[in-house]
Amino acid sequence: SAVISQKPSRDICQRGTSLTIQCQVDSQVTMMFWYRQQPGQSLTLIATANQGSEATYESGFVIDKFPISRPNLTFSTLTVSNMSPEDSSIYLCSVLGEGEKLFFGSGTQLSVL
Amino acid sequence: GENVEQHPSTLSVQEGDSAVIKCTYSDSASNYFPWYKQELGKRPQLIIDIRSNVGEKKDQRIAVTLNKTAKHFSLHITETQPEDSAVYFCAAISGSNYKLTFGKGTLLTVNP
């Protein structure tokens, strides 16, 4: 299956700042997604990253807070803007891979002070 | 939208016993049901999945069953081992958008 890498793997940030998370796949994929996993919780879909167009956001998530780029079929970024402690979570990218199955990246653990 | 309920939230078994985790879903149009295993500090790992045209699927010690009428599906792990200890998430996809709706997870502990 595809190798999905995320950078950074973890970061500690100050409130009010922004962090951009990168997701790199070693093969072209049609669909990419971003999920959030709050401490001790399940995964929640933030948005679908559309190649060459604006991302599609789920209820409760907005572009101003979580801008997403997807310039090609192997790469996407998620920015967490104007961070607050409530944004402390693990952020995971996911891709539609072989067999039409969904696989997850290595994750980015974000702590906001 | 889709809603997935998962039970139990925690499950403790002795090594060698079986473990069963159950999920229900709300959207009758859901057609794909994967299960993910997440060890502490690691990414969710796909362990088995089932599509709506199949009632049961098995892969070595792991099996999944699906009852479309009742809208529930279950994960069965036989001959559990300590390395099976993890959080297990069920999920469902409705339609062709590939958006996963997850259950809240089950913390499985296998005691040696």
Side-chain angles (χ1 to χ4, degrees), chain A residues 5-110:
Chain A
S5 304
Q6 282 185 235
K7 287 195 297 188
S9 58
R10 60 179 63 236
D11 207 342
I12 301 173
C13 301
Q14 297 297 319
R15 67 174 68 205
T17 63
S18 298
L19 176 72
T20 296
I21 302 167
Q22 299 179 3
C23 179
Q24 178 75 56
V25 191
D26 69 345
S27 58
Q28 292 186 343
V29 293
T30 54
M31 303 192 77
M32 295 180 75
F33 306 88
W34 286 97
Y35 285 82
R36 180 176 73 180
Q37 187 174 27
Q38 295 177 300
Q41 303 295 315
S42 186
L43 291 83
T44 302
L45 179 62
I46 297 172
T48 303
N50 300 310
Q51 193 261 330
S53 64
E54 192 172 285
T56 305
Y57 290 84
E58 298 301 305
S59 175
F61 297 96
V62 296
I63 188 171
D64 289 348
K65 177 67 176 177
F66 298 102
I68 289 170
S69 77
R70 190 174 171 199
N72 56 51
L73 293 178
T74 63
F75 185 77
S76 178
T77 67
L78 167 75
T79 299
V80 186
S81 302
N82 188 24
M83 289 184 284
S84 67
E86 293 71 36
D87 295 319
S88 297
S89 295
I90 299 172
Y91 292 87
L92 295 142
C93 67
S94 173
V95 307
L96 184 65
E98 185 179 336
E100 293 193 344
K101 299 174 189 283
L102 287 146
F103 300 95
F104 284 88
S106 46
T108 296
Q109 182 159 357
L110 171 62

Side-chain angles (χ1 to χ4, degrees), chain B residues 5-56:
Chain B
E5 300 281 343
Q6 183 171 347
H7 299 279
S9 57
T10 62
L11 179 59
S12 181
V13 300
Q14 288 300 120
E15 183 176 359
D17 288 350
S18 295
V20 180
I21 303 170
K22 299 182 179 182
C23 290
T24 61
Y25 60 98
S26 62
D27 188 349
S28 57
S30 290
N31 54 14
Y32 176 63
F33 307 91
W35 286 87
Y36 291 87
K37 174 185 180 182
Q38 188 176 33
E39 296 175 81
L40 188 64
K42 300 202 173 172
R43 75 184 80 190
Q45 177 189 2
L46 178 67
I47 57 170
I48 197 167
D49 56 3
I50 192 166
R51 299 190 186 270
S52 58
N53 59 347
V54 175
E56 183 173 358

